[in-house]
Amino acid sequence: LQSIRAGGKSYPADIAVVIDHSASMGRRAAGGETLFGQAIDRLQDLGKMLGPSDSVSIVLAEHTPRVLTPTPVSPAELSRVIQTLRQMDNGLTDGPIPDALGAAREMVRKGTHLKKLIVVLSDAQRTGWQVNGEGAWRAALGDRLAGPDRDMGVFAVNIPVDDLPANLSVAPVRVLPGLVGIGRPAQLFASVRNAGPGTSTESPVRLIVDGRTVATQQLGTLDSGQSQTVRFDYAF
């Protein structure tokens, strides 16, 4: 925050915070708290640094970005938003960071202050950051050279995952047959890969339809870099 306080003076700022709410943020550290919970802790720390005239917007990075604050809130109102976040379940989708950044940029534009800042709280998953998605990043950040966003600061705060050696991810689900009829059996295939340095043992894989768990399978041991395909049979 000191980077937007010029000349020792406290100029108010419009600040948007992007919180990764993808499935990987549901992993638990050694102390039992999820990475999503740790991100909320960092948001609370940030709230203590805000000036009374700053405005805050919260965007959740999900499959489709979710804006928790349709209009920016004051630092005094941030505690209510934090309470809402702590009551949320873990995310179950991917969380494209560029899409969420684009939504955050629109939120800070709604603010009336000259200083603009976006902070991203994430576990830095490569898939979520879409490191090769040049088009997505260009759309997310706008014209940083000559456009209205050239002075907007964007900072990433990584949630540490050093004590979480296994890192399972699910590839896109393949459904057969290609045309699914009501009440007709379908087969769903997905490849689960361990991208972490450690070994994963006996991890459950759930099939969730319309927000309800309809089947569960147990994965065997996956060493680093290994993958396993799971199949579910289901009639929609």
Side-chain angles (χ1 to χ4, degrees):
L1 268 179
Q2 292 179 356
S3 66
I4 62 173
R5 310 301 189 192
K9 298 181 180 180
S10 180
Y11 291 101
D14 298 311
I15 302 168
V17 180
V18 173
I19 303 179
D20 190 342
H21 196 219
S22 61
S24 67
M25 292 290 286
R27 293 179 292 164
R28 295 186 181 275
E33 187 177 25
T34 65
L35 301 185
F36 183 64
Q38 292 184 38
I40 299 172
D41 294 340
R42 300 292 81 75
L43 173 63
Q44 194 163 15
D45 293 339
L46 176 66
K48 298 174 183 177
M49 302 170 62
L50 298 176
S53 299
D54 292 332
S55 75
V56 188
S57 302
I58 306 297
V59 178
L60 293 182
E62 300 176 344
H63 185 70
T64 300
R66 185 176 6 158
V67 179
L68 283 188
T69 51
T71 57
V73 300
S74 68
E77 298 173 300
L78 183 59
S79 59
R80 173 181 53 82
V81 181
I82 291 175
Q83 184 178 6
T84 299
L85 285 166
R86 293 200 184 280
Q87 294 173 349
M88 286 185 176
D89 294 330
N90 294 329
L92 295 174
T93 69
D94 58 344
I97 297 298
D99 295 350
L101 268 175
R105 183 163 60 93
E106 294 301 317
M107 293 305 299
V108 295
R109 279 182 171 180
K110 293 181 179 180
T112 58
H113 305 312
L114 292 177
K115 298 293 183 179
K116 310 289 184 181
L117 177 69
I118 297 177
V119 177
V120 182
L121 304 173
S122 165
D123 61 353
Q125 290 285 299
R126 182 182 179 90
T127 52
W129 280 85
Q130 299 184 358
V131 293
N132 296 321
E134 183 178 345
W137 279 103
R138 187 179 296 113
L141 297 176
D143 188 350
R144 301 303 303 275
L145 296 179
D149 303 314
R150 62 184 181 276
D151 296 325
M152 179 184 65
V154 180
F155 299 91
V157 178
N158 292 340
I159 307 302
V161 293
D162 294 341
D163 56 345
L164 299 172
N167 181 7
L168 300 182
S169 60
V170 181
V173 176
R174 183 166 57 99
V175 182
L176 295 176
L179 180 62
V180 177
I182 296 176
R184 300 182 63 182
Q187 295 80 48
L188 296 90
F189 299 88
S191 177
V192 182
R193 181 175 182 271
N194 180 13
T199 299
S200 169
T201 58
E202 298 184 355
S203 300
V205 180
R206 293 184 294 159
L207 173 63
I208 299 173
V209 179
D210 294 332
R212 181 173 60 91
T213 299
V214 297
T216 303
Q217 288 191 31
Q218 201 78 8
L219 277 180
T221 298
L222 286 180
D223 291 328
S224 177
Q226 287 188 332
S227 62
Q228 180 179 334
T229 298
V230 294
R231 167 181 168 172
F232 292 100
D233 295 306
Y234 184 75
F236 290 93

